[in-house]
Amino acid sequence: MKNYKYSDDYHFPIDEMGDKTSLEERIKNAKIKNKSTENAFRRVLKFLYLADFAESISRNTVKTHLHRLTKTEQIMANKLSYRASNSKMKYRYGINSVLAVKKAKYKCKVCGEKDVRCLEIDHVGGRDKASEKAKKNPYKVKDFQILCTNHHRIKTVVEGQEN
């Protein structure tokens, strides 16, 4: 059995949030020769690090650049691009769920847990399973919060007991 250890390696580097200079330095250090590939990598980094970057990126773009990302960035890029770009999920979540994650600085609202392996996007008032209704009335940033797996489960159980 593999031994899983708690590690700061899976904490998102929030000190780099919003720092366009360090993102450009990182792009330069990646030494990407093709301009369109460089621009795609720039979009992935902006998607993860810039709070005001409110554009979805495709799952294929993320997959293309996974090898350039840290383990933590890979986890969040996969998780967030699925929520914002997948045709079935984008009406339920959309880019506003991504903006909520960045606004929360990648940590649980209740306990402050930062390990991205256990962070989940929660619908504050529950979710509407009817995607047609969600298309007409999309979720806003305030409709989401970030919880660790434990607090998300506790919230779900408590809400289930109240109904």
Side-chain angles (χ1 to χ4, degrees), residues 10 30 57 59 64 68 89 124 146 160-161:
Y10 290 96
I57 57 173
R59 305 269 299 137
T64 301
R68 293 185 172 97
M89 299 303 281
V124 173
I146 311 314
Q161 291 171 347

Side-chain angles (χ1 to χ4, degrees), residues 96-107:
N96 286 330
S97 64
V98 175
L99 295 173
V101 171
K102 293 190 284 189
K103 183 179 177 183
K105 297 188 177 182
Y106 297 91
K107 63 183 178 184

Side-chain angles (χ1 to χ4, degrees), residues 13-25 49-51:
I14 59 169
D15 54 319
E16 295 178 26
M17 298 276 306
D19 186 357
K20 293 178 183 178
T21 305
S22 69
L23 295 184
E24 288 302 322
E25 185 67 29
Y49 285 96
L50 301 183

